């Protein structure tokens, strides 16, 4: 657990579960929570045994209901830019984390909470989850990468409708438009998120990291450059013990035993 107790970190089966634990504030993201998320992902990045991370929120009402509106109301333009860049930096650290990160979203994921979920690699939602970017109703726009990630996840038209109206969507609609990967009953939310991570963890760890890098970088550069990176990563993997083990195990009709090298 973090020192302040706002961010709980639990480990089991080489999976870390990060729980934002301030349900009385609907797990809203203030500066302290952002600092703890930043520090947690820095520490977890150094854990070579780690196979993945689940991010969730405490309580029944919200994953994360948004950012700290009181702080936003008092900020000047210089402070607003700093606030936005800080959030973008933390969420990019999550997006580029070298192991899979799954958001387990129950209840409200609004504003900064929706942006946090989108920064994770995959999203599992409970059937009562609601996603939205309501910032225009406050006279502002999403500032933690939401305008960028939502359009890439669901397409320009749907992203603009959500951003310009500020209207939230339910879990079923979020799944239909590609904002979430799957919807499950609330009581199975963490179980399903962990099961998905464990399924990924059975694969070659170096290959999983390389796939994350290829997809993330590929979305940020022209296709020919993305293909060159893919080829370079493919070549690098050919020199790993894991690829030799994986191909040999397939030919021998047995389960591979990957070592992560």
């Amino acid at each position: 657990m973090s020192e302040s107790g706002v961010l709980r970190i639990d480990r089991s089966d080489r999976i870390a579960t990060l729980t934002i634990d301030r349900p009385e504030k609907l797990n809203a993201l203030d500066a302290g929570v952002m600092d703890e998320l930043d520090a947690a992902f820095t520490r977890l990045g150094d854990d070579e045994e780690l196979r993945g991370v689940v991010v969730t929120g405490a309580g029944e009402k919200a994953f994360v209901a948004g950012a700290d509106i009181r702080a936003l109301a008092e900020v000047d333009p210089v402070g607003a830019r700093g606030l936005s860049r800080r959030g973008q930096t933390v969420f990019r650290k999550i997006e580029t984390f070298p192991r899979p990160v799954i958001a387990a979203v129950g209840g409200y994921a609004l504003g900064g909470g929706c942006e946090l979920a989108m920064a994770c690699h995959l999203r599992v939602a409970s059937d009562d989850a609601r996603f939205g970017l309501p910032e225009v109703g406050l006279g502002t726009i999403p500032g933690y990468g939401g305008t960028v990630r939502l359009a890439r996840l669901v397409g320009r038209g749907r992203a603009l409708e959500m951003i310009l109206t500020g209207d939230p969507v339910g879990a079923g609609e979020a799944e239909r438009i590609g904002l979430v990967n799957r919807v499950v009953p609330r009581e199975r939310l963490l179980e399903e998120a962990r099961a998905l991570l464990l399924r990924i963890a059975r694969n070659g760890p170096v290959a999983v990291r390389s796939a994350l890098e290829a997809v993330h970088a590929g979305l940020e550069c022209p296709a020919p450059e993305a293909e060159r990176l893919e080829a370079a990563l493919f070549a690098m993997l050919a020199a790993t013990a894991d690829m030799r083990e994986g191909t040999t195990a397939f030919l021998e009709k047995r389960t591979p035993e990957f070592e992560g090298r």
Side-chain angles (χ1 to χ4, degrees), residues 192-240:
E192 292 287 343
R194 286 178 50 82
L196 180 55
L197 264 185
L198 288 171
R199 171 68 185 85
I200 295 170
R202 294 204 298 265
N203 298 314
V206 184
V208 169
R209 290 198 298 270
S210 296
L212 286 170
E213 181 181 353
V215 171
H216 177 72
L219 285 170
E220 298 195 337
C221 63
E225 184 179 338
E227 289 175 347
R228 285 193 291 272
L229 172 62
E230 180 184 75
L233 291 168
F234 188 77
M236 180 274 293
L237 288 166
T240 64

Side-chain angles (χ1 to χ4, degrees), residues 12-29:
S12 177
D13 299 323
R14 297 189 293 180
I15 290 173
T17 301
L18 273 60
T19 304
I20 300 171
D21 189 6
R22 54 190 318 227
E24 73 285 355
K25 299 290 187 181
L26 299 182
N27 304 318
L29 299 174

Side-chain angles (χ1 to χ4, degrees), residues 16-139:
T17 301
L18 273 60
T19 304
I20 300 171
D21 189 6
R22 54 190 318 227
E24 73 285 355
K25 299 290 187 181
L26 299 182
N27 304 318
L29 299 174
D30 62 11
V33 176
M34 297 298 280
D35 287 345
E36 291 190 43
L37 282 170
D38 189 5
F41 275 94
T42 297
R43 292 196 304 272
L44 292 172
D46 294 331
D47 184 353
E48 293 298 326
E49 295 299 312
L50 187 74
R51 290 294 177 264
V53 180
V54 174
V55 178
T56 195
E60 295 298 315
K61 293 184 178 180
F63 168 70
V64 170
D68 185 350
I69 305 301
R70 187 175 300 278
L72 183 62
E74 299 172 352
V75 77
D76 62 14
V78 173
R81 179 177 177 84
L83 187 67
S84 175
R85 294 299 289 165
R86 173 60 173 154
Q88 290 170 354
T89 298
V90 174
F91 287 0
R92 179 163 286 267
K93 177 178 286 190
I94 296 172
E95 185 177 50
T96 58
F97 194 70
R99 286 88 162 180
V101 182
I102 296 181
V105 181
Y108 292 108
L110 303 176
C114 186
E115 291 176 294
L116 171 59
M118 290 191 292
C120 299
H121 301 132
L122 302 171
R123 284 152 294 284
V124 177
S126 66
D127 47 18
D128 65 345
R130 292 182 68 78
F131 297 82
L133 295 172
E135 286 85 351
V136 290
L138 300 174

